[in-house]
Amino acid sequence: MDLRQLEYFVAVAEERNFTRAAERVHISQSGVSAQIRRLEHELGAELFDRSARTVTLTAAGEAALAHARAALASAEAVGRAVDEVTGLVRGRLTVGMVAGCTITPFFDALAAFHTAHPGVEVLLREDGSDRLAEGVRGGTLDLALVGAAAATPDGLDALTIISERLVAAVPPGHPLAGRGHLTLAELTAHPLVCMPPGTGLRAVLDQECAARDLHPAIALEAGASDAVADLAARGLGVAVLSASMAEAYADRLTAVPLADADVPALLALVWRPAHQPAVRAFLDHARRAFGTTGGR
């Protein structure tokens, strides 16, 4: 057996589907199936029950899975140890980002990393912040740009990029447009347009409202700030955005501070404490792009 077969075995076991596993390891489904069959032949036992729609592990597969993962982790550790000595960065970097991301320095960091380390394949995945954080914890992502409320996700190292309060954003002529500030109670008297659950901005809004026993009427949800702003500009609800987001739409929306919304919305890069050299290299580029040396 070889490490490639073990990688395919683990992929099928985790995805519970040969097609998704093939997409994950970037070869054809027939190639994955053939390698799994060879591995089963070498081991003298079937690793998967293929009789149902969802692929499941046999008893032999269950027994083999932990050892296969350990073998792959050991092989990766060998590569990391050599990289530590030689200073080489290679392999694959899987990066997550919040849906609808328009943070230019983040893209600058990706471009700079790609130029400096052309031997590293960069994969970019977009999702909600909650799922991205879980992906980093689970090892399916190497690092991710996520939104959070007040504190970065537990168990992960983080570099906070933005920390700012929420604002309401309304079009000219709206009854709230002339206000110097609002309370959350006044805000929630109007239908809202905001990000969906699982995003940092929504987590802040929900947390602040729950603390005051307020129950906002969410008229519309959109995963990108552009969409939230466009919907609010058309009078479909009051947009809830971060202060810097609202500034980008000053030509059509007026930002009104929320006087009693104290929990900051954070945007942060997060990664596992034990990480590969490619993560460290990317973080160096990110710190330069964002003009910060922070992080924990």
Side-chain angles (χ1 to χ4, degrees), residues 4-290:
R4 181 179 57 180
Q5 291 172 330
L6 296 181
E7 180 186 4
Y8 299 166
F9 165 57
V10 170
V12 175
E14 292 178 349
E15 299 293 340
R16 296 179 178 271
N17 181 280
F18 277 86
T19 300
R20 290 196 298 271
E23 292 171 353
R24 172 170 152 179
V25 298
H26 306 290
I27 70 165
S28 67
Q29 180 179 335
S30 60
V32 170
S33 297
Q35 290 296 330
I36 295 295
R37 285 295 188 194
R38 289 193 184 105
L39 180 60
E40 289 175 325
H41 178 73
E42 290 181 37
L43 294 173
E46 289 196 351
L47 300 174
F48 295 105
D49 181 351
R50 301 167 173 83
S51 61
R53 185 171 183 178
T54 301
V55 177
T56 58
L57 288 165
T58 63
E62 292 280 3
L65 182 58
H67 296 289
R69 284 173 170 156
L72 292 172
S74 294
E76 184 178 348
V78 170
R80 284 199 303 268
V82 173
D83 288 343
E84 293 284 353
V85 174
T86 63
L88 295 176
V89 177
R90 63 189 181 212
R92 178 185 299 165
L93 184 71
T94 306
V95 182
M97 70 175 185
V98 287
C101 177
T102 57
I103 307 298
T104 301
F106 179 65
F107 301 138
D108 291 341
L110 285 169
F113 175 84
H114 176 68
T115 299
H117 305 287
V120 180
E121 178 187 12
V122 179
L123 303 179
L124 187 61
R125 296 178 181 171
E126 188 179 59
D127 209 334
S129 293
D130 286 355
R131 287 188 292 273
L132 291 173
E134 285 305 311
V136 176
R137 287 194 191 93
T140 58
L141 297 173
D142 293 308
L143 74 161
L145 183 69
V146 304
T152 50
D154 290 339
L156 299 176
D157 285 346
L159 172 65
T160 299
I161 305 304
I162 297 173
S163 175
E164 57 188 15
R165 295 170 65 169
L166 299 186
V167 300
V170 294
H174 190 281
L176 300 179
R179 298 287 300 274
H181 59 79
L182 294 173
T183 65
L184 281 163
E186 291 171 325
L187 171 69
T188 55
H190 297 264
L192 305 183
V193 183
C194 60
M195 299 284 191
T199 60
L201 290 180
R202 181 60 175 273
V204 173
L205 176 64
D206 290 348
Q207 183 175 325
E208 292 279 41
C209 287
R212 294 161 180 79
D213 197 28
L214 297 173
H215 306 280
I218 308 299
L220 296 165
E221 295 176 346
S225 59
D226 283 351
V228 171
D230 284 346
L231 292 167
R234 287 165 170 76
L236 295 172
V238 177
V240 180
L241 296 168
S242 69
S244 63
M245 283 180 176
E247 287 177 8
Y249 311 110
D251 60 328
R252 51 198 155 143
L253 294 174
T254 298
V256 184
L258 299 174
D260 57 346
D262 299 323
V263 174
L266 305 181
L267 189 68
L269 278 169
V270 297
W271 63 93
R272 293 184 303 283
H275 51 270
Q276 56 174 305
V279 172
R280 288 198 298 277
F282 179 83
L283 290 172
D284 288 341
H285 290 288
R287 289 185 176 98
R288 285 194 288 273
F290 285 104

